[in-house]
Amino acid sequence: YGCMTLRWTLDKVGVIARSAKDTAMVLSALHGPDSHDETVTNVPFAWDGRQDVRGLKIGYVERDFTGSSPATQLLAAALDVYRAAGAELVRVTLPDSPAAAIYALLNAEAGAMFDELVRSGAINELADTGVNGRANQLRASRFIPAVDYIRAQRARTILLQQMNGLFGMIDTLLAPASSDAVTIGNLTGHPAITVPGGFAVGLPGGLVVVGPLYRGARIFRVAAAYETATAWHTKTPAGFA
């Protein structure tokens, strides 16, 4: 409530802060019903500040953490941090689902939200006039068949069930910010937090912790453990000061 809607079933309000602790403080005030937004579930959020991961099962997709590139080496170092902290690292496989194709949902819902803008011609006033720009995405949304939209929603439900099954085997999932897990999580709604994972070729790299539905405190516990063992969240890459 209070934010501009883009896609009814996909929009999320997140927090940008300097640390996992600060993020949790804001989320503790932000979460829960506010009598305006009927999509918010009345589920408590309470992180007790725990930062130990000993005994937790942290899953990862091996191909995301292997290779010789500077970015991959940073990710491999993150696994070492959790291994040294006593976590059990578990190789997992993400659901074999056409998550990118399901993203037709995004354009369909955005098109419905801004249909009046398109039909009135005001869409022509948008600054982004590129071939794949937002204006053309909204125009093209009117040509997405209803059958495709319904099939995508059904596939999305299956994807949600598969992800829930994955979290029946692990406590959290660790992934790079470029992982398929980010696309999947956006569709399924699983909570995630991104923490600074170091610099590769002068640019910051993100480390994503994904958790089960309604277990937000768990991802803060895992994220805070990484921040405790590293100092990346206190550093700024050259040229960004």
Side-chain angles (χ1 to χ4, degrees), residues 148-169:
D148 286 355
Y149 178 82
I150 297 300
R151 284 175 60 87
Q153 286 287 25
R154 289 174 63 83
R156 182 185 181 188
T157 298
I158 294 172
L159 182 59
L160 172 61
Q161 294 169 343
Q162 292 173 331
M163 286 298 288
N164 286 341
L166 177 64
F167 283 110
M169 300 182 292

Side-chain angles (χ1 to χ4, degrees), residues 79-159:
L79 291 182
D80 290 337
V81 168
Y82 284 110
R83 189 177 289 111
E88 179 183 347
L89 299 180
V90 181
R91 294 190 188 94
V92 299
T93 302
L94 292 176
D96 183 15
S97 177
I102 299 174
Y103 257 62
L105 295 169
L106 276 73
N107 288 336
E109 292 192 16
M113 176 61 201
F114 292 98
D115 190 44
E116 183 178 348
L117 185 75
V118 175
R119 290 188 292 108
S120 69
I123 188 73
N124 300 323
E125 299 176 14
L126 289 189
D128 189 353
T129 59
V131 174
N132 296 315
R134 178 69 73 193
N136 276 346
Q137 288 179 359
L138 293 175
R139 293 187 185 100
S141 67
R142 297 187 61 81
F143 298 95
I144 298 174
V147 170
D148 286 355
Y149 178 82
I150 297 300
R151 284 175 60 87
Q153 286 287 25
R154 289 174 63 83
R156 182 185 181 188
T157 298
I158 294 172
L159 182 59

